[in-house]
Every structure is written in structure tokens, then in C-alpha cells.
Amino acid sequence: MLRVVHTFGRNAGSVELHDRRAVRFGRAPDNDVVFDPNHDRDASSHHAEARLEAAGWVLYDLDSRNGTYAGGQRIKRHPIASGDEITFGAKGPRVRLELVERRPPGPPPTHAAPAHPALAAAPPAPPTGYPAPAGYPAHAAPAAGHAAPVAGHAAGHAGPAAYPAPAPGYAAPAGAHPGHVPAAPPAGSRRVGERTIAMMISSAVSAATGRSKPRGTVEINAMLHKEVHAATAGQRRTTYILASLLVVALASLAALIVYNRSSHDEISQLRAELARLPPEDPRRKEIEQRLGTLHPSNANFGRNLHDRSRKGIFMLASGREGFCTAFAVRPSILATNAHCITAAKRRGGTIVALENEGRGQVSFAVTSMRTHPQYRDSADQLTPDIGVVSIAGRAAAVLELATREQLAAAGAGDDVYLIGFPERLTDAANPVATFLAANIGRITGANGRPAPAAEAWLIQHDARSTSGMNGSPIFNGEGKVIGINAGGYLEGNDETISGQKTEVVKASPYKFGMRIDLLDAILR
């Protein structure tokens, strides 16, 4: 067997014992040893596997992204010695592997029943017709024809250690096993009801010998109930305490859920009201200040958004070169920029969509491409730079698009997030997307001026994106897609070069995207 002791990572301190010939390690839930998918990021989904071979246990690296280390050395195959420290990724989770021998099951231990003072003081009389054992009290012998009431009980119950040996000629009662001593609990253990059972036996013996009247069933049941009630008092107290703590925890959770829900509802209402007010309305400032105090913080939001969306992000590539980002809006339809589709047509050849983190092996051929009917490939004006491509296959994840109400509520200062492939990282052999966080600068019409909500489809933001990020989704603070990143502005400045004044054109740090509902004109 293989014992796995977690020494570093989210599971540090826990111990697992695996009785299998192959034990697999990784972040995916189908592994035998599962690392935390959010905390232990250096470990791959299926990182390594320990196998029991003829010569012993051997650890194999399963082509992991960050490697497997034994004693600080990166390995591909490593014979396991008991106590080996294995690290999954240079800074990832670490375990200690211990080899444990499988112990064959043995016979259960037997124990002699302890003597009880009550039984030693009043041993049961033998049935009529049997000679009394040596040392048996003369006054305890029953009258002729009177059967001992405990004779049948003795057949399945251990006699007390204080009994003397029976005299010659003594025969065992019917149903009893000669020499049989049933197993008793280990010394020092206490069995609930032991005192009660002894009192019941003592009562029966006393009744048989004429010293007292036999107790009735009601009296015995009352005695048994009293003993059991006393023995379980501690367990009941513990149960009451745990139940009280559970009620308090559930009440706190319910209050937190209600508070968060009311906070989100108020945020949505305020954003909707803000969208209806004209830019010069003095109430806008008051609403914006209120929104700043209500915005819920979530330290894990970005990580959760990335993990939920990453398999719905694709790199558009021609040959071995990637040039734009796209994302799934339906299982077989990806959204991107219209100018990316124009570039794909100019490149010619086969255009493919490579799945994010698919190592270049998850690839879908692009079967068709469409642009927005109002898009114009012109540098003089901004037109709806949005389009879709169809793929020969189905995406593993489809991104959730914002509703019209959520789009109308978006405004300057909102947090936004992008996932795409920056220009220097458009490696078709290893497509790994980058996560960016930014803020909306303003939302305007195509001319850069404030416009009614229906016409304000130009979203300006400050994400430091490059051309490879064109076509990437723009998420709002609720994780819904509100736009498609489309590029950035160009700024011209006069500079003196070699004594001559020259206009130098540079990329502006301000970028813009197209509101996602422009897709309606293509997907209908």
C-alpha cells in the first residue's frame, strides 16, 4: 500500500492511504490524489502516477506542464523509496510517499469475562437432580422439583471466576457447552448496561433461591431505561451543542446571502437609474458615490472567472502563426472582430481555431466567416467591428452574454476583464491566454460623444492590450460578456528628429471595444 502525506499546499497535514496498483496525482477530480484546483496551480490536471511494478513502486511524470521533482531533481521516471519527498511543479504542492506493508487479517482476540461481585456472592443453584458442586452453600439448594430460572441463561453467559469446580458426577444443563467461556470486553473497557444486566441476573438468582420476589417486566424496563439514560447523557449534551452551532452557522449564512442579494439588487437599480440620466444631471455624482460604497469585493472573482471561461477562448491561426482571439458564444460559433475576419481572408489557406491551453492539439477548422452588415474596412471612421466564425466541432465552454439591462447599466469606472492572446504570445504551438483587468473610461457613440443607450456601443477602457488581444471578450463585474475588444486609438505628436519637426504616430494607451449586442444583427 502507498501512504501519501501532504507536506505543502492547500491539503498540507492530511494523510491518505491507497490500496491500489496505480495512484494518479493532479488537480482534476478524477485523480486518486486530488490537489486544490484553485490554490495548487503549479500542478497539472493529470500530473504524475505511481505504479506498483515487479521491482516495487515507480513514479512517472505524465508530461506535466511544470515538471515533477524528487529530492529537488526533476524526474520522468523515479523508483520510490519510503519517505521520498515529491513536489509537483517547482513551487507546487508537495507530498511524502511511504510504503506500507499490507497486514493479513488475523483471528479476533478473545477475553475471559470478568467476575462480578454480585454473581460471586450469589451463584445460581444447579437444577434439581444434579449433585451440588463442592463448596456450594447448603441453604441455596432448591426444593425438589423446582427448576433454577437461570439455568438456561447460563448456557450463553460466562460464569463468574469465583465459581468452584463442579463435583464429580455433575452434568451440564441442557443446551450448555462444556468448558465454553464467551469472549468479554478488554480490561478497563465499560459496556453500557453492564451494571443493569448484573442486577437483573442477581435479581433472578435471589428469586430462584427464595430470598426475594422476582422483579416484574415493567420494573426491569424502568431500571434499564434509567441506566441507558445516564450512560448517554454526555452524548446528548454534545449533540445539543453541535445542533446549536449548526443553527447559528445556517442563520449567519442566510443573513449573508440576503445581504449580498440586496446589495446586488441595489447596485443594479442604481446603475439602471444612472444610465437613464443625461450627462449633465447633478444626481449622477450622488449615485456614483453610492455605487462606490456598495460594490462587493471578491478576492477570488478574477480566478473564478478565468477558470470558468478559459476553455471557451480560442486563438485564430493561419499555418503556424496566430493573429487574433475569438470566443464561443454558441457551441460551434465564435465571436471575434470583423477586421480579424478580413485579415483571415487576406491570409488565405486554412484558418483554424486553437483551444486555449490545448497545447496546439485541440484544433477546429473554420468553416465560414461573417461580418456585421454595417462594418467598413476603413481607417477614417469607426463602424461595428464585429463578426463570427463557424467551426467544425463544439467548444468545451460557451461564455455567458450580458442582458440588455446589464448593458444599459454599464458605465464609466466599472471594472472590466479581458482574456486573450497578446501579440508576443500568439504561439500556435502553445496557445495560453492572458487575463487582464481594467476599467471603463467612458461609453459613447461611434463619434466619441455621449449618446442614448441604444446607440452607445463604443466601450473605451484602459487595458494594456496589443493586437493579438483583438477579438477577446470584455467581461463586466458579474462575469458576463459586455463587449469585444477591437483595438486602440493612434495619437500623433510633433517631435524634432535630426533637427526637423516630424509627426510621430504612436499607439494610445486607451483601447476600445464593441458592445456585444451588435452580434444580434449576425446571429439572427
Side-chain angles (χ1 to χ4, degrees):
M1 292 190 292
L2 189 67
R3 180 187 288 123
V4 180
V5 181
H6 294 261
T7 59
F8 181 75
R10 178 57 61 88
N11 300 331
S14 61
V15 180
E16 304 177 24
L17 190 64
H18 295 276
D19 188 13
R20 305 183 61 178
R21 300 186 64 87
V23 179
R24 190 167 55 181
F25 302 77
R27 291 189 296 116
D30 59 344
N31 290 288
D32 301 297
V33 178
V34 180
F35 300 119
D36 189 280
N38 294 323
H39 183 271
D40 300 323
R41 301 288 295 176
D42 278 23
S44 297
S45 298
H46 299 94
H47 197 108
E49 185 173 85
R51 303 169 190 166
L52 181 58
E53 301 180 348
W57 284 92
V58 180
L59 182 68
Y60 291 89
D61 180 82
L62 301 179
D63 295 327
S64 62
R65 181 177 68 253
N66 296 319
T68 305
Y69 295 81
Q73 299 296 321
R74 186 163 183 168
I75 58 97
K76 295 297 288 183
R77 179 184 183 278
H78 173 72
I80 299 174
S82 188
D84 278 355
E85 292 277 349
I86 306 300
T87 306
F88 301 86
K91 298 182 180 179
R94 184 170 62 250
V95 303
R96 183 172 68 252
L97 302 181
E98 299 176 354
L99 308 183
V100 182
E101 293 184 2
R102 184 184 290 104
R103 296 182 178 177
T110 59
H111 305 275
H116 197 286
L119 295 178
T128 304
Y130 289 105
Y136 197 89
H139 68 273
H146 183 77
V150 296
H153 178 76
H157 194 80
Y163 278 5
Y170 179 82
H177 299 281
H180 174 69
V181 179
S189 64
R190 189 185 190 287
R191 298 170 61 177
V192 174
E194 181 181 278
R195 179 166 172 263
T196 303
I197 294 174
M199 293 174 65
M200 293 168 63
I201 295 173
S202 178
S203 174
V205 170
S206 298
T209 57
R211 292 201 298 264
S212 66
K213 294 181 180 180
R215 302 193 180 195
T217 302
V218 174
E219 187 178 358
I220 292 176
N221 287 342
M223 184 192 307
L224 183 62
H225 176 77
K226 179 180 179 182
E227 290 296 318
V228 171
H229 186 82
T232 59
Q235 296 177 358
R236 290 199 307 277
R237 283 194 297 270
T238 302
T239 302
Y240 294 152
I241 293 173
L242 291 177
S244 301
L245 292 175
L246 179 60
V247 170
V248 172
L250 291 176
S252 301
L253 179 61
L256 182 61
I257 292 174
V258 171
Y259 172 77
N260 284 337
R261 182 173 296 175
S262 62
S263 177
H264 279 287
D265 291 344
E266 186 176 357
I267 289 172
S268 299
Q269 293 173 2
L270 290 174
R271 284 179 171 174
E273 184 177 354
L274 193 64
R276 291 192 296 267
L277 295 177
E280 64 278 1
D281 195 308
R283 288 177 295 171
R284 293 183 64 90
K285 185 176 181 180
E286 180 182 348
I287 295 175
E288 289 169 354
Q289 290 177 345
R290 177 60 178 160
L291 281 172
T293 62
L294 285 176
H295 196 285
S297 59
N298 183 353
N300 295 322
F301 175 80
R303 171 68 62 81
N304 295 336
L305 174 61
H306 173 269
D307 290 346
R308 186 174 70 242
S309 309
R310 60 192 179 93
K311 288 301 180 182
I313 308 295
F314 293 83
M315 177 189 292
L316 296 180
S318 174
R320 297 184 178 181
E321 183 181 357
F323 57 90
C324 270
T325 301
F327 59 95
V329 292
R330 291 181 182 173
S332 299
I333 297 179
L334 312 181
T336 187
N337 289 138
H339 78 260
C340 291
I341 292 176
T342 301
K345 291 178 179 179
R346 283 199 296 262
R347 290 170 180 265
T350 301
I351 306 299
V352 296
L354 303 175
E355 183 186 89
N356 177 36
E357 299 182 14
R359 299 184 180 181
Q361 299 174 2
V362 184
S363 174
F364 301 100
V366 173
T367 57
S368 65
M369 299 181 284
R370 302 189 302 279
T371 60
H372 193 282
Q374 296 179 13
Y375 171 71
R376 299 292 180 268
D377 187 10
S378 170
D380 298 331
Q381 60 177 337
L382 285 174
T383 57
D385 190 359
I386 198 166
V388 295
V389 300
S390 299
I391 58 174
R394 297 174 66 86
V398 175
L399 276 55
E400 187 175 358
L401 308 185
T403 63
R404 291 188 180 277
E405 291 76 14
Q406 291 169 330
L407 293 174
D414 284 356
D415 295 333
V416 290
Y417 309 90
L418 287 74
I419 306 178
F421 303 92
E423 188 172 9
R424 293 186 179 181
L425 301 180
T426 51
D427 181 4
N430 186 31
V432 179
T434 297
F435 183 92
L436 299 177
N439 294 99
I440 293 178
R442 59 178 184 165
I443 299 178
T444 68
N447 57 6
R449 297 177 181 176
E455 301 174 10
W457 47 260
L458 190 65
I459 303 173
Q460 300 176 24
H461 61 84
D462 58 356
R464 294 184 174 276
S465 61
T466 56
S467 60
M469 293 285 292
N470 292 350
S472 60
I474 302 174
F475 298 91
N476 65 5
E478 298 178 23
K480 309 296 179 59
V481 179
I482 62 171
I484 301 178
N485 190 46
Y489 295 103
L490 296 177
E491 296 181 349
N493 296 316
D494 290 336
E495 295 185 9
T496 301
I497 301 176
S498 299
Q500 295 184 351
K501 183 178 290 187
T502 306
E503 183 181 10
V504 177
V505 178
K506 297 180 180 179
S508 168
Y510 298 103
K511 315 297 179 182
F512 57 83
M514 305 289 155
R515 203 168 66 183
I516 195 64
D517 59 341
L518 291 174
L519 277 178
D520 294 344
I522 312 175
L523 295 178
R524 288 175 181 171

